[in-house]
């Protein structure tokens, strides 16, 4: 794997981490409206997968979407502005944390409905097939959402039609407060691939290079018209389900234990061992991103709020004759 | 002008639009080999291939969601829902995804897709295959809703729906598929948002749509002949956005309003129209606003009971007569 | 009487009903270990065990359908839908199965179940977590729909819903869970179908429910103090079947009607109430029927925009003033 | 297998066949309202499965439900009356062919919504578990319906909670006009069992004894608290999807070929070979059932129609205060 790519994988993970650490702080200090689900601890997945994608490829994201969108290349300032509910945000303040889109980067939306992205990804794959482009779509989803009917209908459809869709499960062991093994009848979500006649791959979701390789293979298959793949990334959510979660459902010890497997720390150590970068270079990466975060906050704070009446735009493309009350 | 039935008229619209725009394609159950359960897609797969006229698995949720994904990425899907009843299976996709996605994205994306959904009563299809659900969708910001009552409108509205850059729900009454009528030659569009005054009258306004248009016209003829009462009949054609102008102007003329639909009366679209009038031009009314709609039960199988719960020509005739007796004038003078 | 909040009041209802009837159990996401995302099930699993307070997979369709299956076979499930928005995922189960099954069976079976669904705005939860969807369900024959505005009603209505042999949708506004109020001691029930006159007045009737009750009362106080206008406020509590009697009798007294809800105005429940009045007692009205409801857009994330689209106390105050200016009397005299 | 049981299996199949042959005739002559989906050719499945059930066990049925309900022991006369839309029908004329219930026999309803029965069966299983009875629920479903999300959500839930539910797939190769292999990403529906960690069994659905044995095993497992089983019965629908189906989607040859595997003829031959019954005994069975059919038609034809106003009953148990318009 080339060194440039390795450094970029690190950068992407750090970008997500530092962005979210700040978001957590801001949220706790009461600056941000809405609610926020953090991706901290799972950065290797979005980073590994999106680094294997082209800009014109698509992704669908989830309620825990900051990481996906940033990894696909989104601007931090417009994301931050969206979390602030500002007019300069990606969705002009209409979406918020759970609904971030960047259509130019092929981000077909985070989604407040768990499992809402499965069939949208099928449609993106269908477009690619009908238009004979070589684009693929990655659908990120949680372990918990694999119990939704949309998972089944979509994987079957994508498989039956041989569509270029890659289903990436972020198995962080919990659906909100519910341990996944208590509600899910298989040990591995990847075991479900058999039910659709597609490959099911399990990777260490805290190992960014492993994720990257699995994604690369699946994306290649998809581009070659060989159909969908289900990749299960085993990971862990270090923070609560949402910022403010009392976390009654798991022990501090468990979290501590899993924290030791932090994908970023681990990767940095590996890069040192392989002599890919020095402490100084890593510090430089962090410093650069810290700056990006500061600039993003400045941008967000300095941006205008939407006008109240802005609420009445952006619903219909063809607004002629539409009334709102 | 040529005579054809509604199924044929929509088929013509599909063919013209698919010829004209390569991005238009169709997604649904039993449409390719079968040509649609009401024959509305007959031969379409022969013309455009099974890649563009796609027989799907029985997965309405994924059909609807995939339609959205395709629309977001440059296609213009027409999704056939088989029966409007089955939108229940895909309600999240319809109302929480399709309807909201443009708004939630701050206007970054558009979802140009059409959901075709046969609705209404036919052949004692019973509770799960007979519903009229337009009220749910009119109450959902982000959707447009249209429904034709005759072949010409069927063609023109479907073409307009396919060309519209917003998601449009196209409701087609099952009992109308075989209804014949004259359709203009060549290219034409019925603009979304424009109702049609299908009968002029001075005494009472009837606002209606879909299958109830012909029943209202029949009732109007009877009332004219037997009672000399002249009914103005307005065929809404578009249910959202409503053509308020034509509605209000007719009420200002007649002072009497009846709304007729096949859907359940309680909470039906008739309520919205009545309330709009009671809010914006109540001072022009000379009597109560009467709504006729299905009684508040699921549709029973037995034809006898099915008939009983559904408004018919007689109900309209009698309703109008009663309305006029109850008009303020009479209340005051008696 | 004790003071408690709505979450606590519903918890008391659950505990009493589960103690009293072994067949009552709860099904939903994050209710056992978490006690419900709004704390409304806190400690329930400790009392009744995880067999009776069941944390489900994220499978709303199956949750709802399984609830029905359990109800048909002798249990009395309470189904927690997390957010009313997610009923979209289970709409077929709700409206085509649960609502219709008794009727389709010719009365052989009953489906005694309660669907609890938190609705409404809270903390900028945005488009997919903020809806008010009661109009869909009032339009669906076979369901009963209730929604409390205060802790006492919350308890009494939930107990009534659990004891009802028909499926009841219990809508609870998210912003009200922490709302405090006095709750009578001991066993009590608020009968389904009975509205409450929560303020007497002679000038204008406001019909409202859920979160908008307190806003209407606030507006009524302002109007009384500032303008000497006395508003009668009716808290519907049950949305289907509506308490027509109390509605009509109030209108006969005041001659002026405003309906206020948080749900979208277009096609909302306000339309049904307005239309009912325009049909059955329009002659008692002295002016237009005004509806206040959410503007016809999905709920935006930004608090500024969210606030803009939602009716508030000021809108009610101003609406009433405008209403009285537009009353027929004034139209005629000016 | 005891001879009494064998004869009963035959009787049940013949009961379904003769009832439906008459229904087809009546429908084509315009006597019956609505539409009708025939089970002809698939009788071995309902007969085999329901013969392994107790009266207090539950079933959920489908749009093609006559066979299930008759096999569970329903009265032919009340079924026929329902198809006629008569007041004496099982649903008092409110249900019709797609909605037949017999609650006393544990029939939780045929269903006009394909896949609607999956979660209802979960609920029946849950009741049994909560009430600690030994009842089980069989959910009949078509190959096509296995692509619905309800299939997935329900099988996962039943498996995760170890419920006494048996999922019986009637794979007749078609979903209405669509060959199942064109829309379904696996060769066997039973392959999907892996995705739920439950046994998946494939049987010849035209062999009533094979079906019976598989069902018996699965039912025993379920009663013993060992959880759900997915049984796939390979079969074929001899008649059109509905009465009147132009059948453009398959060849006459195919139908002819499959007709040769008729489960009833085959079974009778087997019974002769095994000396379980004689031609006369079989003829007697047929004669008895022909009589039952005639009596059923007489009952239906002689029964009163519902009054129009009957439409306004049976919706709510507690009707007090309810209004209908
Ligand atoms: C259809 C639906 N049901 C329930 C919820 C509430 N909810 C939000 S996140 C969540 C847990 C999701 O778990 P998982 O898919 O594992 O993702 P994770 O949060 O672990 O990343 C739930 C139940 C929802 N948003 N949508
Ligand atoms: C949710 C839903 N989608 C579509 C239909 C229309 N429909 C009725 S039967 C059928 C085919 C069902 O195929 P399968 O499950 O294999 O059962 P079979 O008819 O072969 O017995 C379809 C698509 C329906 N009734 N419900
Ligand atoms: Mg998870
Ligand atoms: Mg089949």
């Amino acid at each position: 794997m080339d060194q440039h790519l390795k450094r970029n994988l690190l950068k992407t993970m750090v970008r997500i981490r530092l962005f979210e650490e700040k978001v957590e702080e801001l949220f706790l200090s009461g600056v941000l409206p809405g609610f926020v689900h953090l991706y901290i601890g799972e950065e290797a997945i979005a980073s590994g997968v999106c680094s294997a994608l082209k800009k014109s490829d698509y992704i669908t994201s989830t309620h825990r979407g900051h990481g996906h969108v940033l990894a696909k290349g989104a601007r931090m300032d417009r994301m931050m502005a969206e979390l602030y509910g500002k007019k300069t945000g990606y969705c002009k303040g209409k979406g918020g944390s759970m609904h971030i889109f960047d259509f130019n980067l092929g981000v077909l939306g985070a989604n407040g409905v768990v499992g809402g992205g499965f069939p949208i990804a099928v449609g993106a794959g269908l477009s690619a097939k009908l238009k004979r482009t070589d684009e693929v779509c990655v659908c990120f989803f949680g372990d918990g959402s694999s119990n939704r009917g949309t998972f089944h209908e979509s994987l079957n459809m994508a498989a039956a039609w041989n569509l270029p869709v890659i289903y990436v499960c972020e198995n962080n062991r919990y659906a909100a407060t519910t341990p996944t093994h208590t509600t899910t009848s298989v040990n591995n979500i990847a075991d479900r691939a058999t039910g659709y006649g597609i490959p099911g791959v399990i990777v260490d979701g805290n190992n960014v290079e492993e994720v990257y390789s699995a994604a690369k293979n699946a994306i290649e298959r998809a581009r070659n018209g060989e159909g969908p793949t289900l990749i299960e990334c085993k990971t862990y959510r270090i923070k609560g389900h949402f910022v403010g979660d009392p976390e009654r459902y798991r022990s501090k010890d468990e979290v501590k234990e899993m924290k030791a497997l932090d994908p970023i720390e681990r990767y940095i150590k590996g890069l040192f061992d392989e002599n890919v970068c020095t402490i100084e270079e890593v510090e430089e990466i962090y410093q650069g991103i810290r700056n990006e975060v500061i600039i993003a906050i400045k941008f967000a704070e300095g941006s205008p709020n939407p006008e109240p009446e802005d609420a009445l735009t952006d619903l219909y493309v063809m607004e002629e004759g539409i009334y709102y009350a | 002008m040529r005579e054809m039935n509604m199924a044929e008229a929509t088929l013509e619209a599909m063919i013209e639009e698919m010829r004209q725009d390569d991005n238009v394609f169709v997604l649904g159950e039993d449409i390719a080999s079968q040509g649609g359960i009401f024959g509305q897609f007959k031969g379409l797969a022969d013309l455009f291939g099974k890649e563009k006229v796609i027989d799907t698995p029985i997965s309405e949720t994924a059909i609807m969601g995939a339609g959205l994904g395709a629309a977001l990425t440059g296609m213009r899907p027409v999704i056939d829902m088989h029966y409007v009843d089955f939108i229940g299976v895909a309600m999240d996709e319809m109302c929480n995804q399709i309807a909201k996605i443009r708004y939630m994205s701050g206007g970054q994306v558009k979802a140009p897709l059409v959901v075709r959904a046969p609705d209404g009563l036919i052949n004692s299809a019973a509770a799960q295959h007979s519903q009229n659900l337009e009220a749910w969708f009119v109450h959902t910001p982000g959707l447009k809703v249209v429904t034709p009552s005759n072949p010409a409108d069927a063609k023109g509205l479907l073409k307009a729906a396919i060309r519209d850059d917003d998601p449009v729900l196209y409701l087609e009454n099952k009992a109308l598929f075989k209804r014949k009528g004259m359709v203009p030659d060549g290219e034409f569009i019925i603009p979304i948002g424009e109702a049609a005054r299908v009968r002029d009258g001075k005494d009472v306004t009837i606002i209606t749509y879909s299958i109830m248009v012909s029943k209202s016209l029949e009732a109007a003829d009877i009332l004219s002949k037997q009672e000399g009462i002249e009914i103005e009949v307005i065929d809404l054609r578009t249910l959202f956005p409503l053509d308020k102008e034509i509605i209000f102007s007719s009420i200002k003329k007649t002072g009497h309003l009846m709304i007729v639909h096949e859907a359940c009366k309680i909470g039906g679209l008739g309520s919205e129209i009545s309330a709009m009038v009671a809010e914006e031009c109540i001072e022009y009314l000379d009597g109560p606003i009467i709504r006729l709609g299905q009684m508040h039960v699921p549709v029973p199988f037995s034809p006898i009971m099915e008939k009983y719960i559904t408004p018919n020509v007689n109900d309209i005739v009698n309703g109008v007569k009663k309305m006029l007796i109850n008009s303020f004038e009479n209340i005051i003078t008696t």
Side-chain angles (χ1 to χ4, degrees), chain A, chain B:
Chain A
M1 198 181 275
D2 98 29
Q3 305 219 339
H4 182 67
L5 173 61
K6 283 174 188 266
R7 272 191 295 260
N8 268 339
L9 287 172
L10 176 63
K11 253 188 219 164
T12 307
M13 290 199 289
V14 175
R15 244 182 122 231
I16 300 171
R17 175 71 55 94
L18 297 189
F19 177 81
E20 287 210 319
E21 284 180 346
K22 202 69 197 178
V23 166
E24 184 181 28
E25 202 185 303
L26 290 166
F27 190 87
L28 288 172
S29 72
V31 176
L32 303 181
F35 39 107
V36 165
H37 305 86
L38 297 179
Y39 195 62
I40 287 176
E42 311 185 21
E43 296 92 342
I45 303 169
S47 304
V49 171
C50 291
S51 299
L53 290 173
K54 298 191 301 185
K55 189 178 165 191
S56 59
D57 289 327
Y58 296 106
I59 66 166
T60 65
S61 172
T62 67
H63 58 288
R64 198 177 301 291
H66 304 160
H68 312 135
V69 185
L70 285 169
K72 192 70 178 40
R75 288 173 51 170
M76 229 183 231
D77 54 358
R78 294 197 59 200
M79 280 197 52
M80 193 63 92
E82 187 60 32
L83 300 190
Y84 271 81
K86 294 297 179 81
K87 200 169 172 138
T88 55
Y90 265 116
C91 311
K92 304 183 189 164
K94 291 193 166 95
S97 168
M98 279 194 295
H99 303 291
I100 293 180
F101 284 74
D102 185 344
F103 192 64
N104 292 326
L105 295 172
V107 177
L108 301 178
N111 211 313
V113 178
V114 166
F118 291 119
I120 297 177
V122 173
L126 183 58
S127 273
K129 189 179 166 192
L130 289 172
K131 289 172 166 277
R132 306 196 201 296
T133 70
D134 75 342
E135 289 150 8
V136 306
C137 182
V138 168
C139 171
F140 291 102
F141 67 100
D143 45 286
S145 75
S146 81
N147 291 327
R148 276 217 49 215
T150 46
F151 169 87
H152 179 68
E153 295 195 0
S154 302
L155 269 78
N156 175 62
M157 202 178 260
W161 296 346
N162 225 33
L163 300 179
V165 187
I166 299 96
Y167 285 97
V168 176
C169 179
E170 308 181 313
N171 187 343
N172 60 12
R173 302 196 192 174
Y174 290 89
T177 69
T178 307
T180 300
H181 68 89
T182 63
T183 56
T184 308
S185 58
V186 282
N187 292 323
N188 304 298
I189 306 302
D191 297 346
R192 293 190 161 158
T194 319
Y196 312 103
I198 61 171
V201 181
I202 299 179
V203 300
D204 176 354
N206 283 18
N207 181 330
V208 69
E209 292 193 2
E210 207 179 300
V211 173
Y212 173 83
S213 305
K216 202 163 150 47
N217 288 340
I219 292 165
E220 243 164 58
R221 285 196 64 210
R223 280 205 219 288
N224 290 337
E226 294 167 67
T229 303
L230 171 54
I231 302 176
E232 176 177 6
C233 306
K234 303 279 193 187
T235 186
Y236 193 77
R237 156 166 66 65
I238 295 297
K239 298 289 179 169
H241 173 54
F242 54 90
V243 181
D245 181 357
E247 294 183 57
R248 285 193 211 99
Y249 49 88
R250 62 181 184 181
S251 69
K252 291 232 155 61
D253 282 350
E254 181 184 301
V255 179
K256 205 171 138 193
E257 195 180 304
M258 297 307 297
K259 227 174 166 169
L261 305 176
D262 187 295
I264 298 182
E265 278 172 32
R266 241 169 94 182
Y267 196 51
I268 292 177
K269 225 163 132 203
L271 293 182
F272 288 163
D273 291 349
E274 292 177 39
N275 290 319
V276 176
C277 39
T278 63
I279 297 198
E280 291 70 31
E281 283 169 325
V282 169
E283 183 44 39
E284 204 180 309
I285 288 176
Y286 270 83
Q287 201 45 54
I289 294 170
R290 269 186 218 114
N291 281 338
E292 196 188 355
V293 174
I294 291 171
I295 293 169
I297 294 176
K298 273 203 187 129
F299 174 80
E301 295 191 337
S303 289
N305 278 316
E307 299 302 318
E309 306 78 33
D310 289 343
L312 305 186
T313 59
D314 294 324
L315 182 54
Y316 294 96
V317 179
M318 300 187 183
E319 309 234 9
E320 212 197 327
I322 299 288
Y323 47 95
Y324 292 97
Chain B
M1 296 277 256
R2 291 146 306 139
E3 190 181 55
M4 60 180 82
N5 70 28
M6 299 260 287
E8 289 159 352
T10 62
L11 187 56
E12 249 190 38
M14 294 296 303
I15 293 171
E16 288 177 15
E17 293 305 305
M18 288 179 78
R19 284 225 169 101
Q20 184 191 270
D21 184 345
D22 227 27
N23 295 322
V24 178
F25 73 104
V26 204
L27 211 51
E29 291 158 25
D30 302 308
I31 59 175
S33 355
Q34 165 99 344
I37 33 174
F38 304 103
Q40 72 273 47
F41 299 105
K42 206 164 156 183
L44 203 65
D46 300 331
L47 288 176
F48 297 97
K50 290 203 172 185
E51 202 180 54
K52 283 286 179 69
V53 181
I54 308 177
D55 271 343
T56 65
I58 308 180
S59 308
E60 285 81 6
T61 323
I63 296 169
M64 197 77 105
L68 173 57
L72 292 177
T73 52
M75 302 298 291
R76 301 185 81 87
V78 176
I79 298 162
D80 178 56
M81 266 290 116
H82 229 65
Y83 283 77
V84 77
D85 310 78
F86 306 150
I87 294 190
V89 168
M91 196 68 174
D92 181 63
E93 279 57 37
M94 186 79 188
C95 294
N96 291 331
Q97 309 289 343
I98 289 173
K100 297 182 171 53
I101 203 156
R102 175 173 171 76
Y103 190 79
M104 295 190 303
S105 79
Q108 281 180 73
V109 301
K110 56 182 185 174
L113 60 82
V114 178
V115 176
R116 288 183 67 171
D119 64 1
L121 303 177
I122 194 174
N123 292 346
S124 286
Q128 293 175 331
H129 286 74
S130 299
Q131 292 171 92
N132 291 279
L133 300 174
E134 59 274 13
W136 291 357
F137 305 105
V138 167
H139 188 48
T140 305
L143 302 177
K144 294 176 179 172
V145 185
V146 301
T147 187
S149 69
N150 61 65
D153 287 357
K155 181 174 175 185
L157 279 173
L158 183 53
K159 285 171 71 81
I162 293 172
R163 292 189 195 182
D164 201 289
D165 270 342
D166 290 312
V168 179
L169 175 60
Y170 181 91
L171 298 168
E172 38 198 343
N173 192 288
K174 297 193 284 287
L176 289 178
F177 276 113
K178 298 225 165 113
R179 184 73 59 94
K180 287 192 174 169
M182 299 305 290
V183 174
D185 296 322
E187 174 83 10
F188 74 98
I189 294 276
I190 306 284
I192 292 179
E194 285 186 17
R197 180 180 292 108
V198 291
R199 189 182 196 284
D200 276 322
K202 59 178 187 6
D203 299 319
V204 172
T205 300
I206 290 185
I207 294 178
T208 185
Y209 49 94
S210 190
I211 185 113
M212 287 294 162
V213 172
S214 55
K215 296 203 181 168
S216 300
L217 288 170
E218 234 181 281
D221 280 347
I222 294 172
L223 283 161
S224 172
K225 275 189 208 122
Q226 294 183 356
E227 316 277 336
I229 299 170
E230 292 306 329
I231 309 282
E232 177 142 308
V233 179
I234 289 170
D235 178 355
L236 288 175
R237 304 197 296 198
T238 295
L239 308 186
F240 186 86
L242 285 168
D243 187 344
K244 290 191 185 190
E245 211 173 300
I246 206 173
I247 296 173
F248 292 164
S249 76
S250 178
I251 288 159
K252 286 176 188 172
K253 180 165 71 172
T254 66
H256 290 282
L257 173 59
M258 173 183 272
I259 305 137
V260 185
H261 53 55
E262 197 179 73
C264 281
K265 174 176 164 179
I266 295 175
L269 185 66
S271 315
E272 174 58 27
I273 296 166
S274 169
M276 223 172 67
V277 170
E279 189 161 74
E280 300 186 43
C281 62
I282 194 171
E283 62 272 25
Y284 295 95
L285 285 175
D286 297 322
I289 304 174
I290 302 300
R291 296 168 294 157
L292 296 185
Q294 188 192 300
M295 290 182 193
H296 200 67
V297 289
V299 176
F301 167 68
S302 138
I304 294 167
M305 293 192 280
E306 186 193 83
K307 199 170 154 219
Y308 175 71
I309 66 162
T310 311
N312 60 29
V313 175
N314 258 343
D315 296 330
I316 304 173
V317 169
N318 294 333
V320 168
K321 288 188 201 164
K322 219 169 101 188
M323 240 173 113
L324 293 178
I325 291 169
N326 288 338
S327 76
F328 299 149
E329 243 170 291
N330 289 323
I331 290 176
I332 292 160
T333 54
T334 51

